[in-house]
């Protein structure tokens, strides 16, 4: 037993030190941006003026990727194919896919930042992932970096700054894709895995900037006990029976525990703001996940097709709700 | 210098491990003649600096210029000492009133300073999410250590030591509630003087103003 520990303690210590270092640096991006110390445009930089377009979409879905995301423009082919499928299924809906969920300044890892060359290299290797151990180490580093940004989002001290930054990025990209402030079209934040927490965290600020309600759809989303959940119109959580990752939120964040009935998460559950949708035997990631085109459900439908159909249905439902609310207002 | 650092390290480890024999020896003599006074104050200073760094989010939120940070840090350091002194004073008051002790205030101040030792890990309060839980953990750790140190200092049992530290804490809460407005005025004044930033504004108020401006900009876009 002692030999086992002798072998284990050094990697554990190194792992712990790396985690503490990465976590300690994590809030700095959002904080220095807010304080005006970074090279990124300041928080009070006006949103770019974009001419309104005649071909308004009937709904806007903003996709926030999972913790393995490096650069929205260099998405993994499986994820990209899934979003293409989503666009095809909802031809009147605009899918905004150029928001990087793990940065308060919508600055992807390959963007203008100190370690961008390292991330670019990891991104280039990510497509042929699985060949070498270094590829997996690179992926681990990306996940660790983005995971600590989820902790920033979940933190009541840094979370509002981070979430406001993400919300501003979302508003900018929505405008770029033709959204007009005050439009009737609903805005739906679609968060995969850790993107779910980022969606819930930023939803109140998106709603505040747009002055419109915001819906959130989580694909195996992992959530903290962020107060933002009380400000979403509704959270639809898609869960696979073979996906155990989304339950991490229930374990790691005390606000999910029943002994804290007044936490935001538990209040939202009681108020009926959260719905869980069973997706069948889907996994969180890799073969058989929500985006899988090869894995099939017992009824013969591919996982990707089922996920797309479910999201399209929910978006249609949000459209109806937005329409009703708008009509009621006159 | 090396010997002094070794003493600081030794006493710090003793405090963190609740080594009653070592702590009792460090607090045996009165403040003026205690050979450990400088060592204890150094530990309190290290703990204070570490905690301040852990709490540095307040400077970012209020957009303090980097050049003003040092001045602001110094003022916050003074405030930490004032807080420790005030806690020692309230413990001393309760101990005198309830248990008629004759121990000098300075000696209890030393005990309270040493009780802040767990906050040498205070810098980790900066860690996202985990830092918030850590703050509670360190506060409880520090309180338990202070109870032990007060018991050693006043040669009390555990219960009177708990009564004194809790009584002191209660007095601080009462004073804090009564003196809220003057405290806020002083904090605002000190903040403006040291940071050069406008008075402290709640983060929510800052965001509301910012959102209003963004909405104004967005509304101004031309319609086609």
């Amino acid at each position: 037993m002692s030999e086992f520990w002798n072998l284990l303690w050094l990697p554990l210590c190194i792992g712990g030190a790396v985690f503490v270092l990465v976590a300690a640096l994590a809030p700095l991006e959002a904080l220095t941006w807010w304080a005006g110390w970074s090279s990124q445009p300041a928080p009070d930089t006006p949103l770019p003026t974009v001419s309104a377009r005649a071909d308004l979409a009937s709904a806007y879905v903003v996709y926030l990727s999972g913790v393995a995301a490096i650069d929205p423009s260099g998405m993994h082919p499986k994820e990209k194919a899934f979003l293409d499928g989503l666009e095809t299924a909802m031809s009147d809906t605009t899918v905004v896919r150029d928001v990087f969920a793990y940065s308060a300044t919508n600055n992807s890892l390959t963007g203008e930042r100190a370690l961008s060359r390292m991330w670019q290299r990891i991104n280039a290797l990510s497509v042929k992932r699985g060949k070498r151990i270094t590829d997996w180490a690179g992926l681990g580093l990306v996940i660790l970096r983005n995971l600590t940004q989820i902790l920033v989002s979940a933190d009541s001290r840094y979370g509002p700054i981070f979430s406001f930054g993400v919300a501003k990025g979302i508003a900018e990209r929505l405008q770029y894709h033709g959204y007009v402030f005050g439009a009737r079209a609903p805005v739906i934040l679609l968060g995969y895995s850790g993107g779910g927490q980022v969606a819930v965290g930023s939803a109140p600020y998106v709603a505040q900037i747009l002055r419109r309600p915001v819906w959130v759809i989580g694909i195996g989303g992992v959530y903290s006990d962020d107060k933002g959940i009380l400000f979403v119109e509704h959270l639809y959580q898609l869960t696979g029976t073979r996906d155990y990752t989304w339950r991490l939120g229930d374990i790691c964040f005390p606000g999910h525990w029943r002994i804290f009935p007044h936490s935001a998460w538990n209040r939202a559950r009681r108020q009926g703001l959260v719905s869980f949708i069973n997706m069948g035997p889907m996994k969180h990631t890799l073969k058989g996940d929500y985006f899988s085109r090869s894995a099939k459900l017992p009824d013969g439908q591919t996982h990707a097709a089922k996920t797309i159909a479910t999201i399209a249905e929910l978006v249609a439902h949000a459209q109806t709700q937005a329409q009703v609310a708008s009509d009621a207002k006159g | 210098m090396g010997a002094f650092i070794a003493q600081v390290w030794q006493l710090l480890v003793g405090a963190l491990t609740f080594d009653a024999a070592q702590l009792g020896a460090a607090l045996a003599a009165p403040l003026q003649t205690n050979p450990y006074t400088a060592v204890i104050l150094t530990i309190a200073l290290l703990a204070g600096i570490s905690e301040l760094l852990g709490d540095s989010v307040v400077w970012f939120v209020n957009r303090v210029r980097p050049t003003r940070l040092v001045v602001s840090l110094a003022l916050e350091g003074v405030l930490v000492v004032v807080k420790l002194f005030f806690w020692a004073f309230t413990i001393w008051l309760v101990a005198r009133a309830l248990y008629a002790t004759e121990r000098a205030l300075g000696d209890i101040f030393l005990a309270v300073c040493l009780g802040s030792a767990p906050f040498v890990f205070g810098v980790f309060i900066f860690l996202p999410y985990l830092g918030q839980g850590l703050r509670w953990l360190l506060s409880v750790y520090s309180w338990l250590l202070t109870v032990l140190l007060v018991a050693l200092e006043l040669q009390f049992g555990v219960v009177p030591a708990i009564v004194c530290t809790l009584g002191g804490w209660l007095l601080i809460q009462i004073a804090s509630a009564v003196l809220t407005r003057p405290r806020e005025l002083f904090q605002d004044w000190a903040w403006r003087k040291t940071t050069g930033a406008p008075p402290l504004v709640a983060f929510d108020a800052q965001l509301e103003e910012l959102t209003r401006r963004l909405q104004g900009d967005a509304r101004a876009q031309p319609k086609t």
Side-chain angles (χ1 to χ4, degrees), chain B residues 3 18 36 60 78 88 123 182-183 215:
Chain B
F18 292 79
Y36 284 97
F60 290 102
V78 172
V123 68
R183 186 171 50 85
Q215 283 165 343

Side-chain angles (χ1 to χ4, degrees), chain A residues 140-214:
Chain A
L141 209 56
V142 172
I143 290 174
L144 176 65
R145 188 265 168 203
N146 289 344
L147 207 61
T148 56
Q149 292 300 317
I150 293 178
L151 294 179
V152 170
S153 164
D155 188 301
S156 62
R157 300 164 297 173
Y158 314 129
I161 292 177
F162 175 85
S163 297
F164 177 78
V166 173
K168 195 180 170 208
I170 288 172
E172 273 173 8
R173 297 326 294 166
L174 278 168
Q175 266 194 312
Y176 178 82
H177 289 282
Y179 181 84
V180 177
F181 276 57
R184 195 182 270 189
V187 170
I188 298 116
L189 306 181
L190 177 63
Y192 167 51
S193 188
Q197 162 56 31
V198 178
V200 164
S202 59
Y205 304 108
V206 175
Q208 207 177 341
I209 295 171
L210 305 182
R211 291 189 185 161
R212 282 287 179 272
V214 169

Side-chain angles (χ1 to χ4, degrees), chain A residues 131-144:
Chain A
K131 302 274 188 260
R132 290 180 304 182
I133 194 157
T134 47
D135 300 348
W136 286 98
L139 175 69
L141 209 56
V142 172
I143 290 174
L144 176 65

